[in-house]
Amino acid sequence: MRACVYMDVANFTHMGDPADGRRVRRADLGRALALPFCWGLEIVRAVAVLPRFDPDGPGFIAYANAVGAAGWTVVEAPPGRDDGVLKDEIRRDLGRFGPPAVVLLSGDGGYIHLIEALLAEGRWVAVLARGGTLHSAYERLRGRWGSRLAVLRADPWVEAEVGEAPRVRTAAIREWTRVWAGLVGPMAERIRADLEGRPAPGGWEELDRILANPRLSPFRSRMALMAWAMRALGIEGDLFRDEDGRPRAARPGEGPSGALRVRPAWPPTEDPDPVRDDLLWPDLTGEPLRWPSAEIRP
């Protein structure tokens, strides 16, 4: 599913009262971009709207550069106008790209009417927020729209210790939609051949070259690429390694013992998800397994 992702930087990075001790952790904006990506979304555009408090100051310039290095297209906004600028970006991109899904990284209640309009148009929407920034109206809205609207608290996914080096290949996430356009046909054929019991095509050597290039591939392993491809293609099945160590797919329930069940990623939830938690997230971030439910090796 194609998606555009938007972040209200002032809201999403707000940590509240500095006396509560939470400022020892920061929002890793590379992880923030990796989270919706591991649902199997093709990220067409990732926009971060940044209030322009001191546009010529070295602190602002350094921070804007850091946000851009995390994979985001930085759009500056006059102070107090960041929500209006972000809404304009969303409306403009709907006309340019027509994404079926929109992901908003902000809990600000000022976006409620826009989110309702997107849902009424038939789009899928996810709202990711941190800490106490999530407006209660989003929970009520979820009760009305069901699976079309996902509302998640992203703190455990995006927070990192200050000084911890990021590992997400953020430039590759931004580039992946272009790379994936050339791979979608061969990967779909590979997975269909497995599910139908036909000999799978070759070509892993070329895929390995892409995986080895941090500017082209957000993934580091064949298994992660295969799992993401199944999700992106909306294919449910069992994922496992054959005797030669190559990723293979089987129909649900027909894989060998220890196979990983890949299910559709939408609607995303906070519940444990072995594909996201045990395979894709560790591959994308270098973090340990979150919910070790199966014998998963990259």
Side-chain angles (χ1 to χ4, degrees):
M1 186 186 299
R2 298 167 69 250
C4 289
V5 184
Y6 304 91
M7 177 170 55
D8 178 341
V9 175
N11 179 275
F12 195 73
T13 60
H14 176 69
M15 293 298 291
D17 184 356
D20 67 6
R22 287 172 56 82
R23 286 188 183 274
V24 299
R25 298 180 68 82
R26 63 180 173 83
D28 184 317
L29 302 187
R31 285 191 179 100
L33 186 58
L35 182 53
F37 182 74
C38 26
W39 303 339
L41 297 179
E42 293 179 58
I43 298 179
V44 178
R45 192 164 187 247
V47 176
V49 173
L50 188 62
R52 191 171 54 237
F53 287 106
D54 184 14
D56 298 322
F60 177 85
I61 294 171
Y63 188 60
N65 288 339
V67 175
W72 300 86
T73 296
V74 177
V75 175
E76 299 178 17
R81 281 280 302 133
D82 38 336
D83 57 343
V85 170
L86 190 146
K87 291 174 186 176
D88 290 343
E89 289 290 324
I90 293 176
R91 294 188 184 99
R92 188 178 302 114
D93 287 349
L94 291 178
R96 292 173 60 194
F97 305 113
V102 171
V103 180
L104 173 66
L105 279 70
S106 173
D108 192 329
Y111 300 105
I112 290 287
H113 295 306
L114 175 60
I115 296 301
E116 286 186 293
L118 295 174
L119 292 164
E121 293 171 4
R123 302 182 196 278
W124 304 82
V125 179
V127 175
L128 305 181
R130 296 179 65 215
T133 66
L134 181 66
H135 196 283
S136 60
Y138 286 112
E139 295 288 0
R140 294 195 298 271
L141 203 60
R142 177 165 58 176
R144 189 186 317 162
W145 289 97
S147 64
R148 298 197 71 85
L149 173 64
V151 179
L152 307 177
R153 287 173 174 80
D155 302 69
W157 298 98
V158 304
E159 288 187 351
E161 297 293 341
V162 171
E164 182 178 324
R167 286 225 20 218
V168 179
R169 295 177 172 182
T170 51
I173 290 180
R174 187 161 50 186
E175 184 72 8
W176 183 247
T177 296
R178 183 189 66 80
V179 177
W180 176 242
L183 298 179
V184 59
M187 288 300 294
E189 173 57 25
R190 181 184 306 280
I191 296 168
R192 280 197 298 266
D194 278 351
L195 298 181
E196 295 168 5
R198 296 185 282 111
W204 274 113
E205 293 77 10
E206 178 58 32
L207 291 172
D208 286 340
R209 282 192 286 272
I210 294 174
L211 290 169
N213 188 334
R215 293 187 174 277
L216 293 182
S217 173
F219 314 105
R220 294 169 170 83
S221 70
R222 293 176 173 185
M223 284 286 280
L225 169 58
M226 190 81 157
W228 186 91
M230 291 175 71
R231 285 199 150 175
L233 294 166
I235 296 174
E236 181 174 357
D238 292 348
L239 179 62
F240 61 97
R241 287 174 173 271
D242 65 14
E243 59 275 8
D244 295 320
R246 291 172 300 201
R248 302 294 298 273
R251 295 183 186 279
E254 296 182 4
S257 175
L260 177 65
R261 177 65 55 83
V262 180
R263 292 185 171 89
W266 199 281
T269 70
E270 294 174 348
D271 297 330
D273 173 354
V275 177
R276 177 193 64 195
D277 302 5
D278 291 354
L279 181 57
L280 287 172
W281 191 256
D283 185 272
L284 291 169
T285 65
E287 294 182 6
L289 306 184
R290 287 180 170 249
W291 186 48
S293 60
E295 297 178 2
I296 298 171
R297 294 183 295 119

